[in-house]
Amino acid sequence: MVTRYNLSSNSWVDQTYELRNLWALAYLRDQFFGRIRTTSQCEGINSLIKAYVRKKDTLLEFINNMETVVSHYRNNERVAEFNSKYTDPVLVTSLSTLEDFAAKTFTRNMFREVRKEIEGACAMNTELVIQDGGKLYFKCNSFGVLEIDHVVEFDIVGGMLRCECLWFENRGIPYMHIFACLKHQHVEVILERLVCKHWTKNVKSDFMKSNVDDPSDSDKVLKCRLGVLGAECSRLMDVESKNSSDFVEVMNDVVNTITRLQKQGENPRNGNLDDDYVVDPLVVKSKGAPKKNSKFKQRRRCSNCGVTAHYNKCCPNVLGRIPKEPVDDDTEKISAAILTSSLRHDSMKNQQKMEKDRNIGGGKTPTSAAKSTFTDQVKTSSPGPDIPVCASTSNEESGMSSRTTESPVG
């Protein structure tokens, strides 16, 4: 390119070429970046945030949308972690032992890529070339492609395999050349140095264990302790719940441990933490009117003069009304109840008397003589001041008086 475009005298081209080991992929094959690139990471985040953020959003809407994005991130992480820990994939390759070990070690997404390399190893031809002490050198090539060979070094003492393609150093997972050498040596597990802890299921618990005793940040220590205890308890439940005797033994040990810690006065949640920590504030009701005191009862007032001793019906200040003694609410209620009860009693008594007269007359309608006798009894009886005269009787009396007045003198 320099020769074609005559750029040998360009200072920028010379400086960029001198730094080729920092940007050219051929010089970065043995560096592990966790599959993160500066451009791809920014483009991935921007494409995700674009669905939640708009130009016209206010600051409050932007914060709420960002919280939604973070919650989706965390939810996807929980779903992936659940699928990795509590589900078992179907084994499809001929190297079932290696595939099963990879399924129990790697997360579900990384296991799919490792399985592709195991499938590719089944079609690889492997030949032992040199054996130098504790090291073996293999030559691997794909089936039908004899002109391209890859040399793999197998350190038996150190338990490490290294291929000249540098795929493991760059991607973090063993390449098919390494799996072909493991197959050739009848190794049924993936060596420990070939397992990148970034892609394993227990990467969180291992990270938390390394930060449990960090005294610089008390909140970080607390979260790490909770995470480690939760992860180990989950493993304990999965293992010990399958056998009844083991379950009883572990349950007794757990109960005894908790009892011992409680007796010692230790609180595992706040151990070795500062006593001055912020707690949740007290809940204060800030909306709505305060509740009224049920013991306080507002007394009724007269609508005419505003006094609480009487009502408008018995107000002595009304013109032409005879003043009455003030009556309390309770006294008035009792008087009304007594009056209602007496009226009901007299009405039932009169009805029973009429039914008795009807039975004496043979079950027929009372005669005029019986009616006149009943009317005379009502007239002669002196009703009390609170008991009104029957409406029918008063009507008959008024009718009889009118007829007596209208009849001519004989």
Side-chain angles (χ1 to χ4, degrees):
M1 184 187 67
V2 172
T3 305
R4 180 184 303 175
Y5 297 101
N6 193 16
L7 298 175
S8 58
S9 60
N10 192 313
S11 60
W12 181 85
V13 173
D14 293 339
Q15 293 177 1
T16 304
Y17 181 73
E18 292 296 332
L19 300 176
R20 61 186 179 276
N21 59 335
L22 299 179
W23 57 266
L25 296 179
Y27 295 93
L28 299 176
R29 293 172 59 189
D30 59 341
Q31 302 296 327
F32 178 74
F33 298 102
R35 304 189 180 188
I36 297 178
R37 299 187 182 186
T38 55
T39 56
S40 62
Q41 186 72 1
C42 297
E43 292 174 357
I45 295 177
N46 292 337
S47 63
L48 178 65
I49 296 178
K50 189 186 299 182
Y52 297 91
V53 180
R54 297 173 298 177
K55 295 181 179 179
K56 298 182 180 179
D57 289 344
T58 61
L59 181 60
L60 179 60
E61 293 175 346
F62 173 75
I63 297 299
N64 293 332
N65 293 336
M66 292 304 298
E67 289 180 353
T68 304
V69 173
V70 174
S71 64
H72 287 177
Y73 260 112
R74 293 175 178 173
N75 181 69
N76 295 336
E77 182 181 0
R78 293 190 187 98
V79 172
E81 186 176 359
F82 177 84
N83 293 333
S84 299
K85 288 186 176 181
Y86 301 103
T87 58
D88 296 327
V90 180
L91 305 181
V92 296
T93 64
S94 58
L95 302 177
S96 58
T97 54
L98 289 174
E99 185 181 3
D100 182 64
F101 183 85
K104 294 179 180 179
T105 304
F106 295 99
T107 60
R108 184 53 49 85
N109 293 333
M110 296 307 302
F111 166 72
R112 294 191 182 97
E113 298 192 13
V114 173
R115 183 165 58 183
K116 292 180 181 179
E117 304 301 329
I118 295 175
E119 291 177 352
C122 298
M124 296 289 297
N125 296 321
T126 308
E127 180 183 357
L128 178 61
V129 180
I130 302 174
Q131 182 175 359
D132 185 10
K135 294 184 179 180
L136 303 177
Y137 294 88
F138 297 90
K139 183 175 67 174
C140 302
N141 52 37
S142 300
F143 179 77
V145 187
L146 301 177
E147 62 275 9
I148 301 177
D149 295 331
H150 295 275
V151 179
V152 180
E153 178 185 352
F154 184 11
D155 187 1
I156 301 176
V157 179
M160 182 61 185
L161 286 90
R162 180 181 177 87
C163 182
E164 62 180 3
C165 68
L166 301 178
W167 182 271
F168 173 74
E169 288 76 6
N170 182 260
R171 306 288 290 180
I173 59 175
Y175 196 50
M176 62 179 67
H177 305 147
I178 295 178
F179 283 113
C181 295
L182 293 177
K183 181 187 68 172
H184 185 274
Q185 294 299 114
H186 300 279
V187 180
E188 297 183 353
V189 296
I190 302 176
L191 301 181
E192 183 179 359
R193 298 187 62 180
L194 295 176
V195 177
C196 183
K197 292 186 177 180
H198 292 82
W199 315 133
T200 59
K201 298 179 180 180
N202 300 325
V203 60
K204 286 187 177 181
S205 60
D206 296 338
F207 172 77
M208 292 176 182
K209 288 178 182 178
S210 62
N211 293 276
V212 165
D213 298 329
D214 186 6
S216 60
D217 191 354
S218 59
D219 294 337
K220 181 179 179 181
V221 173
L222 178 60
K223 293 179 180 179
C224 289
R225 289 175 180 174
L226 292 176
V228 171
L229 288 175
E232 297 300 329
C233 289
S234 298
R235 293 176 56 189
L236 181 65
M237 289 187 294
D238 293 338
V239 174
E240 300 299 335
S241 61
K242 298 178 181 179
N243 192 343
S244 59
S245 60
D246 295 341
F247 170 76
V248 174
E249 181 181 358
V250 172
M251 192 65 186
N252 294 332
D253 294 340
V254 171
V255 173
N256 294 334
T257 303
I258 295 174
T259 305
R260 179 175 55 82
L261 294 176
Q262 289 178 348
K263 289 182 179 180
Q264 293 177 358
E266 297 179 359
N267 190 356
R269 185 177 179 85
N270 296 328
N272 298 330
L273 296 180
D274 298 333
D275 295 334
D276 299 334
Y277 55 90
V278 180
V279 298
D280 294 335
L282 298 177
V283 180
V284 179
K285 186 177 181 180
S286 59
K287 292 184 179 181
K291 295 183 178 180
K292 297 182 179 179
N293 189 2
S294 58
K295 297 181 180 179
F296 176 75
K297 184 178 180 181
Q298 186 177 2
R299 297 177 63 85
R300 292 180 58 185
R301 294 179 178 271
C302 177
S303 60
N304 185 34
C305 61
V307 182
T308 58
H310 59 269
Y311 304 142
N312 185 22
K313 295 182 180 180
C314 56
C315 181
N317 298 329
V318 179
L319 297 178
R321 179 177 294 176
I322 301 175
K324 296 182 180 180
E325 296 180 358
V327 182
D328 296 338
D329 294 341
D330 297 339
T331 307
E332 185 177 2
K333 291 180 180 179
I334 294 172
S335 301
I338 294 174
L339 179 60
T340 304
S341 178
S342 61
L343 290 175
R344 188 181 295 109
H345 178 69
D346 293 341
S347 176
M348 293 177 62
K349 189 174 181 180
N350 293 335
Q351 186 176 1
Q352 292 176 1
K353 189 172 183 180
M354 291 178 64
E355 290 179 356
K356 185 177 180 180
D357 295 340
R358 188 183 298 113
N359 294 333
I360 293 173
K364 298 180 181 180
T365 305
T367 58
S368 58
K371 290 183 180 181
S372 61
T373 304
F374 176 76
T375 304
D376 295 337
Q377 291 178 358
V378 173
K379 288 181 179 181
T380 56
S381 61
S382 57
D386 296 335
I387 303 176
V389 182
C390 184
S392 61
T393 308
S394 60
N395 291 335
E396 286 184 0
E397 289 179 358
S398 60
M400 292 174 61
S401 61
S402 61
R403 286 195 297 272
T404 306
T405 306
E406 295 176 358
S407 61
V409 180

